[in-house]
Amino acid sequence: MTEAPSDYTAGVDPERALKFAVQHIKGDRAQIVEGVIEPVSPTWDHEAAAEVVRDQIRARARELDCVTGSGNLDLPGSSNWYVPDIAVVPTAAAKGAGALLPADTLLVVEVTSESNGDTDRVVKRRRYAEYGAPLYLLVDRQERSVILYSEPGRLGYTRSDGPHPYGTTLHIPAPFDLDLDTSGL
């Protein structure tokens, strides 16, 4: 007599199970984008672009008592768990936190890769707005441009500044109030 297969979904919250699983992938970082687990392993060119931005915002982030990093961002009620290229987060919120919400950030930066550029351009832009990230900076390596999104709403950001070609100086508004030199991208 053959036993019926076990029902692994009985009594299990699929969102919680998926987010638990991605946090326990050994040896690599991963994120969940619309229910699909994606490894996070950027190239050096990708990292170099992120570093250009990180270097310019770090001093102002410290003045604002914030940290810059690429810690986990949870989007509760969805099958999304993001690892941004850079997030600027108040130090008080970061201490002891495993994951934060996009609304806990002051700025989120994503740098596109050939394999997932549309995710950063479309999906993450919409989700970061929906979950209240006040500023979203997209560094588009394929288009060689930058766009700053602000004023998040349920259906997306209501303001955008760009796209601007690399080499343009882009103003990052309050609380940063700094000009980002994109010539090094």
Side-chain angles (χ1 to χ4, degrees), residues 104-122:
D104 296 328
T105 69
L106 299 183
L107 170 69
V108 174
V109 180
E110 293 286 2
V111 177
T112 65
S113 295
E114 286 186 29
S115 63
N116 69 353
D118 286 339
T119 298
D120 292 342
R121 290 181 199 103
V122 179

Side-chain angles (χ1 to χ4, degrees), residues 47-144:
E47 286 296 303
E51 192 74 5
V52 167
V53 175
R54 188 179 295 114
D55 285 349
Q56 293 181 66
I57 63 174
R58 185 174 282 129
R60 182 64 182 134
R62 284 192 186 125
E63 289 172 8
L64 294 168
D65 195 23
C66 292
V67 295
T68 61
S70 60
N72 299 324
L73 295 179
D74 189 9
L75 288 72
S78 77
S79 57
N80 291 287
W81 178 276
Y82 293 162
V83 179
D85 292 305
I86 305 169
V88 179
V89 178
T91 301
K95 292 231 184 224
L100 295 172
L101 304 173
D104 296 328
T105 69
L106 299 183
L107 170 69
V108 174
V109 180
E110 293 286 2
V111 177
T112 65
S113 295
E114 286 186 29
S115 63
N116 69 353
D118 286 339
T119 298
D120 292 342
R121 290 181 199 103
V122 179
V123 177
K124 285 188 173 183
R125 180 184 72 199
R126 184 182 77 237
R127 291 295 191 179
Y128 281 137
E130 179 183 355
Y131 283 83
L135 297 171
Y136 175 49
L137 177 62
L138 177 66
V139 177
D140 193 323
R141 290 174 44 238
Q142 288 68 49
E143 298 292 323
R144 301 189 50 76

Side-chain angles (χ1 to χ4, degrees), residues 2 8 10-11 13-14 17 27 38 42 44 62 66-67 70 77 80 92 122 133-134 140 154-155 161 164-165 183 185:
T2 309
Y8 293 107
D13 175 1
E38 296 181 352
W44 281 109
R62 284 192 186 125
C66 292
V67 295
S70 60
N80 291 287
V122 179
D140 193 323
R154 180 140 175 75
L155 299 177
D161 184 358
H164 298 287
S183 63
L185 294 170

